[in-house]
Amino acid sequence: MTPGSGPLMRADHSLRQRLRDRPLVALGLAALAALAIVMLARTAPLAADAAPGRAAAAPARDGRTASPAPRAVAQYTIEEFLATTNLQGASFSPDHDKILLSSDQTGVFNAFAVPLAGGEPVQLTNSTTNSIFAESYFPHDERLLYSSDQGGNELDHLYVRELDSSVKDLTPGEKLKAEFVGWAHDDSSFFIRTNERDARYFDLYEIAVNGYARTLVYQDDTGYEQATVSPDKHWIAFQKVSTTTDSDIHLYDRQSKQLRPLTPHQGDVVNQPVGFSSDGKSLYLITDAGSEFSYLAKMDLASANSEVVEKPDWDVPFVEFSKGGRYCAVGINSDAKTQIRLYAVDGWKPVTLPQLPDAEISAVSISGDESTFAFYASASRLPRDLFACAIGGQSARQLTHSLTHKIDPQDLAEPKVVRFSSYDGVEVPGILYKPYGASPQSKVPALVWVHGGPGGQARVGYLALIQYLVNHGYVVYSINNRGSSGYGKTFFKMDDRKHGEADLGDCIASKTMLIDTGYVDPARIGILGGSYGGFMTLAALAFHPDEFAAGVDLFGVANWVRTLQSMPAWWESIRKALYVELGDPVTDGERLHRISPLFSAGNIKKPLLVLQGKNDPRVLKQESDDMVAAARGNGATVEYLVFDDEGHGFVKKENQVRGYKAVLDFLDKYLKGSAM
């Protein structure tokens, strides 16, 4: 995930569909799952260490087990790193001989078709400005659905690319946002949600495959999240979010027009609908009822009785059912790395999988004829690539090769999961990257990398910016501070109403672990983060001005009162959840003012770099403008870079080149240079 992949909220499963991961500088998706944008996503353990609160053999906490054998490596330019292609999405064609995806190989995301038999991707759209994210082929022909916004403003419309290559906007209008929900089981229609009637809420519509006639299915005046439709289109399951750790499922009967709660409970329980049984009599859901971690359950709609289907020792961030209901793929977020299990639904019998890459597995898709499944795999030396395998087959075929031939994979850093004891004894995990050549005799600078969220998760996989920095001599510790998802709901809630305080304390405490490795220079430790991680960078420099030697903030919150008051209208359904976790700007204004770095900018004395998208609807450009002005006004060294055609995260490669290079140049000047 990118430094700014977090949506300034918990990376809960139900929010991912709306809050698409968009790479800061070609770093690729979570959450969530994921990032499924997590309780992500939005994955076998990288190391044999356990989550907080578990007893298990762990590697040395100072990270010494992460030391690679000394070897000479080439140093690569930003252009060479960004020659690597980023991919998203996977939809099988009607004849199951190719897969639709989005690729930024042209510099901007466009739709491509990848042959299952092998061969180069075929470009289907030709945007040179706004990114195009492929949603799906049509069931019986090769028309395709895609979404696109304007310059990163997140006001996505849904489009059809017709067979003659002409394009139709299915959701025309100004200042609206639309989302693809899924296909009807009979392939005669598909479902979308749009907030065109009321910017705060998303109404559910059914659209005919032929002619695109649109029918209102449910008018939402309450604020529901995810919608799941039964195969016979009789039932619709909605998720209603109360807080980031509490949600219910409501069941809507299209015939009687009645809506009823399906998961009444006491206390904090997350319930998320993920699919109906083939006969429409049962609902599958992800829940953490009575458990520290989320799991897959099945509820009988008539009796509301539930049974556990799959309950591992980690979160289940997502499941994927085949169209015919014969198979189900289950993702397991195992210590920041997804495992996949495949089952025959009848009897819930495991299906033997071939040897899969030792990598983070995500975005599983099963073909319409239930013969093949596709997935993405990402490891430190394997950028997110698409693989396909016959169900029951013996091997998986790699369909894409995203890493540029200009980079030797062996020159890339292999990370390790490393834990440390924080300031109050809480055990905090993270992912440690060590550059080749770092040693007690040749100490190097380091960065504490803070993910977005606040409830995101640093994950194992290929991250271009991290690899670029490590390749240029920086240790990077991608921390999963308290409040991160993936380590149980107790750990997840540890930073509630303590943001920029309890969680920032973990970032500061991680410095001791870095210094104890013996190869990190104590005087040259900086902090970097995007979105919520950007806030943490600003908070570190403003409230603990002597702890870090430099900071890099990518579109981070400077003024919590304003940010929470200026949330996009389409976040209405989760406004209360954000207020419960972060604070209400009316009733908690004093505390939010206190933790906002803007009002303590006079304390900043270490160099700061700020990057911001002009069209960001989540963290307004005014946030960065004010922070930069205030810090400069008090004599701090601040560099500021604004991208006029980007939003919350940077997706255009020309901007990524400019942004990445600015980060490295800044760090070389103020972090490496501080000891020269």
Side-chain angles (χ1 to χ4, degrees):
M1 296 177 71
T2 80
S5 61
L8 285 178
M9 64 183 62
R10 294 298 193 185
D12 190 85
H13 309 280
S14 61
L15 309 179
R16 281 203 190 117
Q17 192 173 10
R18 180 171 310 178
L19 301 165
R20 183 203 309 280
D21 255 344
R22 304 217 178 179
L24 160 68
V25 265
L27 298 184
L29 182 110
L32 119 95
L35 126 74
I37 214 121
V38 175
M39 283 167 179
L40 217 94
R42 349 23 100 234
T43 91
L46 181 63
D49 43 348
R54 298 186 181 199
R61 298 191 189 202
D62 64 3
R64 293 180 192 274
T65 57
S67 301
R71 63 184 295 270
V73 299
Q75 195 169 76
Y76 300 102
T77 67
I78 180 57
E79 289 80 7
E80 288 171 320
F81 269 97
L82 289 178
T84 292
T85 302
N86 293 277
L87 307 171
Q88 295 188 22
S91 170
F92 282 89
S93 61
D95 56 8
H96 317 116
D97 67 350
K98 52 183 163 292
I99 294 176
L100 175 69
L101 52 72
S102 297
S103 166
D104 71 348
Q105 69 181 58
T106 64
V108 175
F109 276 100
N110 273 287
F112 286 76
V114 178
L116 270 177
E120 292 299 313
V122 177
Q123 187 171 348
L124 303 176
T125 63
N126 296 281
S127 178
T128 59
T129 54
N130 297 311
S131 292
I132 286 176
F133 294 98
E135 300 285 353
S136 178
Y137 276 117
F138 274 58
H140 298 303
D141 58 57
E142 292 189 9
R143 286 176 289 171
L144 63 93
L145 278 172
Y146 71 81
S147 61
S148 185
D149 69 2
Q150 299 293 313
N153 65 3
E154 300 187 19
L155 295 175
D156 299 276
H157 286 212
L158 286 171
Y159 300 86
V160 176
R161 179 186 179 273
E162 302 283 3
L163 296 178
D164 63 2
S165 299
S166 63
V167 173
K168 179 179 179 60
D169 186 350
L170 296 177
T171 53
E174 299 294 327
K175 297 183 179 180
L176 65 86
K177 184 175 177 65
E179 303 166 352
F180 175 60
V181 174
W183 295 98
H185 190 263
D186 62 8
D187 293 335
S188 66
S189 61
F190 56 95
F191 296 89
I192 71 167
R193 300 202 309 161
T194 172
N195 67 344
E196 62 192 60
R197 178 186 59 85
D198 186 327
R200 299 172 299 170
Y201 305 120
F202 286 76
D203 298 332
L204 182 67
Y205 291 90
E206 185 174 7
I207 298 181
V209 165
N210 297 318
Y212 311 128
R214 186 164 72 163
T215 303
L216 177 64
V217 175
Y218 184 79
Q219 179 174 306
D220 185 359
D221 293 307
T222 302
Y224 290 107
E225 278 296 323
Q226 190 168 339
T228 302
V229 183
S230 64
D232 60 4
K233 299 190 280 192
H234 183 160
W235 303 105
I236 302 169
F238 293 103
Q239 183 185 39
K240 176 63 176 175
V241 174
S242 296
T243 72
T244 55
T245 56
D246 187 36
S247 60
D248 276 306
I249 298 173
H250 290 193
L251 189 66
Y252 180 67
D253 186 330
R254 291 185 70 183
Q255 294 179 358
S256 69
K257 310 298 183 186
Q258 297 297 307
L259 183 74
R260 62 185 174 93
L262 202 59
T263 54
H265 61 269
Q266 299 293 320
D268 288 347
V269 178
V270 170
N271 295 290
Q272 175 205 355
V274 293
F276 287 87
S277 59
S278 297
D279 60 11
K281 295 180 179 180
S282 300
L283 175 71
Y284 289 92
L285 64 150
I286 291 175
T287 181
D288 61 6
S291 174
E292 186 71 14
F293 294 91
S294 61
Y295 56 93
L296 180 63
K298 181 180 181 182
M299 175 181 288
D300 177 78
L301 297 182
S303 66
N305 292 329
S306 294
E307 61 178 297
V308 175
V309 176
E310 183 77 0
K311 191 175 183 180
D313 292 333
W314 297 91
D315 282 330
V316 171
F318 67 88
V319 299
E320 177 72 19
F321 287 93
S322 61
K323 181 183 175 184
R326 184 178 178 186
Y327 297 107
C328 178
V330 179
I332 299 169
N333 182 10
S334 179
D335 210 7
K337 185 177 179 183
T338 303
Q339 295 177 333
I340 294 295
R341 298 176 184 174
L342 185 65
Y343 292 94
V345 173
D346 185 14
W348 204 251
K349 298 174 183 176
V351 175
T352 301
L353 293 174
Q355 183 68 39
L356 300 180
D358 182 17
E360 153 81 353
I361 307 296
S362 62
V364 176
S365 180
I366 302 174
S367 63
D369 63 358
E370 300 182 302
S371 67
T372 309
F373 73 97
F375 60 91
Y376 282 99
S378 175
S380 59
R381 294 168 178 163
L382 175 72
R384 198 164 186 258
D385 270 315
L386 183 66
F387 292 74
C389 179
I391 293 178
Q394 301 301 307
S395 62
R397 177 195 293 268
Q398 184 173 348
L399 301 180
T400 63
H401 296 81
S402 298
L403 184 66
T404 174
H405 68 277
K406 299 176 183 178
I407 294 178
D408 181 349
Q410 296 306 309
D411 288 340
L412 301 177
E414 189 72 32
K416 297 291 183 182
V417 174
V418 174
R419 289 175 160 78
F420 68 94
S421 181
S422 193
Y423 58 90
D424 57 357
V426 171
E427 190 154 87
V428 174
I431 302 169
L432 183 67
Y433 298 78
K434 178 188 177 184
Y436 294 105
S439 69
Q441 294 74 39
S442 182
K443 295 187 178 184
V444 297
L447 288 163
V448 177
W449 174 296
V450 191
H451 60 64
Q457 184 186 26
R459 301 183 62 72
V460 173
Y462 178 84
L463 296 169
L465 180 52
I466 287 182
Q467 291 289 354
Y468 177 54
L469 294 173
V470 176
N471 181 250
H472 283 258
Y474 292 87
V475 168
V476 175
Y477 185 58
S478 192
I479 188 171
N480 278 315
N481 49 268
R482 68 191 67 197
S484 301
S485 55
Y487 302 97
K489 55 188 178 185
T490 299
F491 190 78
F492 186 62
K493 296 168 69 173
M494 279 185 176
D495 69 340
D496 287 1
R497 300 294 183 99
K498 301 174 184 176
H499 300 94
E501 298 172 324
D503 47 7
L504 182 55
D506 293 335
C507 298
I508 294 170
S510 72
K511 289 174 54 187
T512 300
M513 178 273 294
L514 289 170
I515 294 168
D516 287 347
T517 63
Y519 51 75
V520 169
D521 185 338
R524 295 189 292 170
I525 301 176
I527 185 168
L528 178 154
S531 191
Y532 185 82
F535 155 69
M536 293 277 273
T537 294
L538 296 174
L541 269 57
F543 302 128
H544 302 274
D546 296 314
E547 290 291 349
F548 294 97
V552 177
D553 157 40
L554 302 115
F555 41 88
V557 176
N559 180 350
W560 276 112
V561 176
R562 176 171 51 205
T563 293
L564 291 170
Q565 288 175 335
S566 63
M567 288 188 299
W570 59 86
W571 283 15
E572 184 63 30
S573 63
I574 53 171
R575 184 181 299 274
K576 176 187 172 184
L578 287 173
Y579 285 0
V580 169
E581 181 186 348
L582 291 162
D584 187 316
V586 175
T587 59
D588 297 306
E590 181 178 348
R591 186 185 65 85
L592 291 170
H593 186 281
R594 174 173 54 80
I595 68 169
S596 296
L598 176 62
F599 307 113
S600 296
N603 296 333
I604 296 178
K605 54 187 179 182
K606 298 298 174 65
L608 170 66
L609 170 65
V610 178
L611 279 68
Q612 175 72 44
K614 182 179 179 181
N615 304 318
D616 192 335
R618 308 185 194 187
V619 178
L620 303 180
K621 177 176 174 287
Q622 191 66 42
E623 291 280 305
S624 292
D625 289 348
D626 289 354
M627 189 70 202
V628 169
R632 283 176 174 170
N634 287 284
T637 297
V638 183
E639 296 183 10
Y640 188 28
L641 203 55
V642 176
F643 299 90
D644 291 337
D645 53 353
E646 299 282 9
H648 197 71
F650 315 142
V651 297
K652 298 178 176 66
K653 283 202 173 181
E654 61 180 343
N655 293 333
Q656 296 163 4
V657 168
R658 185 178 168 212
Y660 268 21
K661 191 172 189 305
V663 171
L664 183 64
D665 288 349
F666 173 85
L667 294 172
D668 281 352
K669 182 177 181 180
Y670 294 109
L671 204 56
K672 274 188 179 176
S674 65
M676 292 182 176

